Amino acid sequence: MASYTTEDDPYAQYNFEVEVDGETVAGFAEVAGITMELETVQYREGGVNDHVHQLPGQFAHANLVLQRGLTTNTAFWDWIQTVMSGTISRKNIVVKVKDGFQGQSQWGWEFANAYPTKWSGPDLASNERGMAIESIELAYERFSKMSGMPE
C-alpha cells in the first residue's frame, strides 16, 4: 500500500477508513447499521395463563451502510460491478475509526463475507479528487471488533 502524506491522502478528511480484503479502498464520513439483535421466540406453555415464555432465538443484524465516501481506488467499484452483474463475490471488510479525522485508527470492526446490495452515487461537484460515493450498503455474515484492538 502506498504511503500518503496528509495533503495527498484523499481519505484524510473522513472519520472512517474502509479496507476490502486487506486493501484500503475508501474513506467515509458516516457508518450506519452496526447493530446486533437477539431475536426472541414466544412459547405458550399449556396450563400457564399468566405469562408467555420469551426464549432466546438467533442473532440478527442490519446491513452495513457506508455514507458520504471518496475513493481513488477502482477496486471498490470493480467489486460492485461484478456483484451487480450477477456474480456474488464475498469479501472481508474492515471499518477503522480514525482519531481526529487524520489520526491513527483507534477502533474498528471486521465484517466477514460481505457483498454489496445497494450503491448510490452523489450529486457531483468539480472539487472532488476521486470517485465520490453517497452510500453503499453491504450484507455480511457476522461482525466483530477489529483484531489487535484493546480488550
Side-chain angles (χ1 to χ4, degrees):
M1 178 172 86
S3 176
Y4 293 107
T5 65
T6 301
E7 203 171 272
D8 296 332
D9 188 354
Y11 316 130
Q13 64 182 346
Y14 297 94
N15 277 335
F16 304 97
E17 183 178 281
V18 175
E19 293 180 2
V20 176
D21 283 345
E23 179 183 2
T24 300
V25 297
F28 287 87
E30 296 179 31
V31 175
I34 303 176
T35 62
M36 190 180 322
E37 179 182 353
L38 178 61
E39 296 174 341
T40 58
V41 178
Q42 290 188 354
Y43 174 72
R44 297 181 188 275
E45 184 178 1
V48 177
N49 298 321
D50 62 345
H51 70 277
V52 175
H53 296 283
Q54 297 285 336
L55 304 176
Q58 294 183 319
F59 277 102
H61 52 78
N63 285 347
L64 176 65
V65 181
L66 308 171
Q67 297 173 307
R68 289 187 258 309
L70 181 69
T71 184
T72 58
N73 186 325
T74 63
F76 221 3
W77 179 251
D78 295 341
W79 180 38
I80 292 165
Q81 290 294 58
T82 298
V83 171
M84 296 303 172
S85 67
T87 303
I88 300 299
S89 173
R90 295 175 182 261
K91 298 183 183 276
N92 295 320
I93 305 295
V94 174
V95 176
K96 295 179 180 179
V97 179
K98 304 291 276 194
D99 181 24
F101 293 102
Q102 300 169 3
Q104 295 297 312
S105 299
Q106 296 300 310
W107 188 257
W109 295 272
E110 297 176 351
F111 299 86
N113 297 319
Y115 59 93
T117 60
K118 183 177 181 180
W119 179 86
S120 298
D123 295 334
L124 299 176
S126 62
N127 60 351
E128 297 295 335
R129 297 183 307 181
M131 183 184 79
I133 303 168
E134 182 59 29
S135 71
I136 182 169
E137 191 168 321
L138 302 165
Y140 57 92
E141 287 183 5
R142 65 187 174 285
F143 75 95
S144 60
K145 74 177 177 111
M146 193 170 74
S147 55
M149 289 288 114
E151 294 296 322

